[in-house]
Each structure stands twice: as structure tokens, then as C-alpha cells.
């Protein structure tokens, strides 16, 4: 048993916040309602001094900066299309996740290292903590992860995470690219449902803005038997060591050195948490410290 697994079993000191927006509303007093004061009044006493507002704004900014983590250390987690495996390594090393299965499309280690020469270090971190890497897994055709073989098997994954799915440069035509990526997501959703444990969630992260908004990910989920329980801003800084890995591999400059180009982890992105239709999600333990909700950061709807 790896040391990270042992740490994760000691207690909820690293337990992240929940994924259910409705439950958060209930715990925070409903839709933006302030808890009543002992005297029965919700009025806020006026304060004197010019320094109160800046202090309040600073506190709110600090509260809003707290990232949403859609899993708990004890969850059984499946990562799909994990690129250079830096996300999986971060979950294990910094979030103390004890049971991670990281999958990649590449058929073997040699092919993966051609795309991401540094991947060996991440694999070492994953396998050292009793988690595993599985090669040759196509998100659109992946075999189900179940408790037993055959149609009677039940999915075992509490969280299935697909960060920044993309088919790669199949076409320069925007409409074709949108269609190809929509087909990718629909096929992924259908396969993911077979591996999803009761009450489990499927988390997909996309960059914000076009062309990604044209994919209409919420509708794709609905047509696949899923619904959005929550969406929130993806904050790459919450995963130390994580770097966005492009589908086609690392970016090299004119001298052939690794580096250059835009960094995906610095772009605005949003995560969508899906559950089976008419099914309540398995919640993630809440932190003791409650925070104010920022409508731009987090939402709980299935528009």
C-alpha cells in the first residue's frame, strides 16, 4: 500500500468541497438567503470607517478564489485521455487520491514518450502509489470497468474525468471540427455510463468561448442519458504539477526545443459535472469553512 493511500485513509483533512450545487444551497441557507441573526433580523448594521469596504472586497476575493474539487481522496477515479499523465500524478501526489486509473490513447509507453518525453516521471508517481496507467484506451470505444463481466456487471467508477477532449487537427473547417468533437463526446458519454457507479459523476472540462461553446455539451449529455448537476471554473493551479497536454504532443520552437506556444493551463476553462438523469450524485465531503458563492465561478443547473 502506497504512502499516499495510507494518508488518504487517516481522515478528512484533505476532503474537498461537494459537487452538488443544490445541497450547497441548502447548507448555505438556500438561494442566496442570509442566515437569520439571533434577534430575528437579517439587517446588517452599518459600519463606520472607509477601510471596511476594501477589507470586505479582499475577503470575498479570497473566498471566491477557492477552487472546486469534484472528487474525494477515497473515490475510485477513472481519467480518460490523460495526455502526459500530469493530472493523474497531481491527484495522487497532492490530493492523496488512493485509487486512480489513468488511461491514454497511445498503444504503449514508446508511443506516449514520443509525444511527451517527460511522461516517465509521471508514470513513476502513479505506479508508486498503487494506481495504474492503461494504454490503448479509445474514449469512444473503451471497455467498461465493472464489478463483473457480462451485461449484469455494474459500473465501479465514482468519478470519470475527461479533461479537454479534442479529436486533434482532423480538419481546418470549423463546422467539421465541431461535428467531429460532438461525435467524440456523445460516444464517450455512452461508454462512460457503462463504467459509472451508482450515484457517480462524469466530469468534462472544456475551454471557454468559441468554438467550444458551439459543441453544446449540455445537450450532448442530455441525448446520452445524462444531465448537468453543476458547472464551475476549472483552476489548473489547484493541481500542482499539472500541465495541459495537446492531443498532438508537446510544442517545440524553431530550434526544436520543447516550449513555446500558448499554455492551455492559463486559458479560461469550465468543468461540467454530469449525473445520470433523475439520479442524485454521490456527494463529496464538504470543507468546514463555508464560502460565499460566486455566480461566475459555480452554478448548479441543467439549463
Amino acid at each position: 500500500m502506497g504512502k499516499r493511500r495510507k494518508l488518504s485513509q487517516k481522515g478528512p483533512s484533505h476532503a474537498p468541497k461537494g459537487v452538488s450545487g443544490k445541497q450547497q444551497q441548502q447548507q448555505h441557507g438556500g438561494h442566496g438567503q442570509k442566515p437569520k441573526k439571533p434577534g430575528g433580523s437579517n439587517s446588517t448594521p452599518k459600519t463606520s470607517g472607509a477601510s471596511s469596504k476594501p477589507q470586505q472586497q479582499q475577503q470575498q476575493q479570497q473566498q471566491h478564489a477557492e477552487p472546486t474539487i469534484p472528487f474525494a481522496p477515497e473515490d475510485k477515479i477513472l481519467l480518460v485521455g490523460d495526455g502526459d499523465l500530469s493530472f493523474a500524478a497531481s491527484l495522487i501526489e497532492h490530493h492523496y487520491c488512493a485509487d486512480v486509473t489513468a488511461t491514454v490513447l497511445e498503444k504503449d509507453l514508446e508511443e506516449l514518450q514520443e509525444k511527451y518525453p517527460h511522461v516517465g516521471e509521471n508514470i513513476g508517481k502513479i505506479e508508486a502509489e498503487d494506481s495504474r496507467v492503461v494504454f490503448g484506451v479509445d474514449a469512444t470505444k473503451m471497455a467498461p470497468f465493472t464489478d463483473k463481466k457480462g451485461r449484469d456487471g455494474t459500473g465501479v467508477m465514482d468519478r470519470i474525468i475527461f479533461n479537454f477532449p479534442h479529436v486533434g487537427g482532423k480538419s481546418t473547417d470549423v463546422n467539421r471540427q465541431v461535428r467531429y468533437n460532438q461525435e467524440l463526446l456523445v460516444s464517450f458519454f455512452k461508454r462512460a455510463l457503462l463504467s459509472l457507479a451508482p450515484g457517480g459523476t462524469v466530469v468534462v472540462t472544456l475551454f471557454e468561448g468559441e468554438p467550444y461553446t458551439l459543441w453544446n455539451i449540455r445537450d450532448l449529455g442530455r441525448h446520452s442519458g445524462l444531465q448537468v448537476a453543476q458547472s464551475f471554473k476549472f483552476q489548473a493551479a489547484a493541481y500542482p504539477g499539472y500541465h495541459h497536454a495537446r492531443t498532438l504532443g508537446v510544442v517545440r520552437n524553431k530550434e526544436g526545443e520543447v516550449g513555446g506556444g500558448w499554455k492551455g493551463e492559463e486559458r479560461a476553462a469550465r468543468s461540467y459535472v454530469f449525473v445520470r438523469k433523475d439520479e442524485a450524485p454521490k456527494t463529496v465531503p464538504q470543507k468546514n469553512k463555508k464560502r460565499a458563492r460566486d455566480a461566475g465561478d459555480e452554478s448548479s443547473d441543467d439549463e
Side-chain angles (χ1 to χ4, degrees):
M1 178 182 288
K3 61 180 180 180
R4 300 291 176 187
R5 184 186 293 271
K6 292 178 182 177
L7 283 170
S8 72
Q9 294 175 348
K10 286 186 178 180
S13 59
H14 296 277
K17 62 189 296 302
V19 298
S20 174
K22 291 182 179 178
Q23 290 176 345
Q24 286 181 343
Q25 289 170 359
Q26 293 170 355
Q27 293 181 3
H28 287 250
H31 296 273
Q33 296 176 358
K34 297 180 181 178
K36 290 186 178 181
K37 297 185 176 181
S41 172
N42 280 337
S43 61
T44 302
K46 294 182 179 180
T47 57
S48 59
S51 62
S52 61
K53 285 188 177 180
Q55 289 176 351
Q56 291 175 354
Q57 290 175 351
Q58 184 177 3
Q59 290 175 351
Q60 289 177 351
Q61 289 175 353
Q62 290 174 348
Q63 288 175 326
H64 293 165
E66 183 181 336
T68 298
I69 307 298
F71 53 79
E74 64 271 17
D75 284 339
K76 193 174 182 66
I77 300 173
L78 172 65
L79 302 181
V80 179
D82 200 32
D84 67 353
L85 300 168
S86 60
F87 190 76
S90 183
L91 263 59
I92 292 166
E93 188 173 25
H94 298 283
H95 292 273
Y96 307 104
C97 293
D99 193 340
V100 176
T101 299
T103 70
V104 295
L105 177 62
E106 290 72 24
K107 63 182 180 181
D108 53 30
L109 177 59
E110 182 180 357
E111 183 178 349
L112 189 63
Q113 285 180 321
E114 287 180 3
K115 281 189 175 183
Y116 315 108
H118 58 283
V119 74
E121 182 180 352
N122 292 328
I123 292 177
K125 293 177 181 178
I126 295 167
E127 294 182 342
E129 300 298 338
D130 302 331
S131 288
R132 60 176 178 153
V133 176
V134 182
F135 295 94
V137 177
D138 185 334
T140 67
K141 303 174 183 178
M142 63 179 179
F145 293 83
T146 58
D147 56 355
K148 55 184 177 181
K149 295 182 180 180
R151 295 182 179 180
D152 297 331
T154 302
V156 297
M157 295 297 176
D158 299 309
R159 317 291 175 191
I160 301 177
I161 302 175
F162 198 173
N163 289 327
F164 306 104
H166 202 283
V167 295
K170 280 191 172 184
S171 172
T172 57
D173 182 79
V174 174
N175 292 329
R176 288 184 179 180
Q177 275 282 6
V178 168
R179 186 171 70 253
Y180 291 149
N181 283 291
Q182 286 178 326
E183 292 171 353
L184 164 66
L185 282 171
V186 169
S187 297
F188 160 69
F189 282 141
K190 291 179 179 178
R191 301 308 301 177
L193 278 169
L194 301 177
S195 300
L196 195 62
T201 56
V202 178
V203 184
V204 179
T205 302
L206 302 177
F207 291 121
E208 293 188 338
E210 293 187 356
Y212 305 98
T213 52
L214 300 177
W215 298 5
N216 296 320
I217 188 170
R218 293 174 182 271
D219 289 337
L220 299 180
R222 279 198 197 96
H223 294 315
S224 306
L226 295 164
Q227 63 185 13
V228 174
Q230 179 193 15
S231 69
F232 56 88
K233 287 183 179 179
F234 175 81
Q235 298 188 45
Y239 305 97
Y242 165 70
H243 300 287
H244 176 76
R246 295 190 181 190
T247 304
L248 297 179
V250 298
V251 178
R252 298 181 183 274
N253 59 25
K254 294 180 180 179
E255 289 72 34
E257 300 171 339
V258 175
W262 54 267
K263 294 183 178 181
E265 61 269 22
E266 296 177 356
R267 294 181 61 181
R270 195 163 194 84
S271 295
Y272 299 85
V273 181
F274 292 87
V275 296
R276 288 188 180 91
K277 286 184 178 179
D278 304 320
E279 183 179 63
K282 174 186 176 183
T283 59
V284 172
Q286 300 281 321
K287 286 184 177 179
N288 292 330
K289 181 180 178 182
K290 296 182 179 179
R291 70 181 182 93
R293 293 182 62 217
D294 178 358
D297 171 66
E298 184 178 332
S299 66
S300 173
D301 57 70
D302 57 347
E303 297 173 355

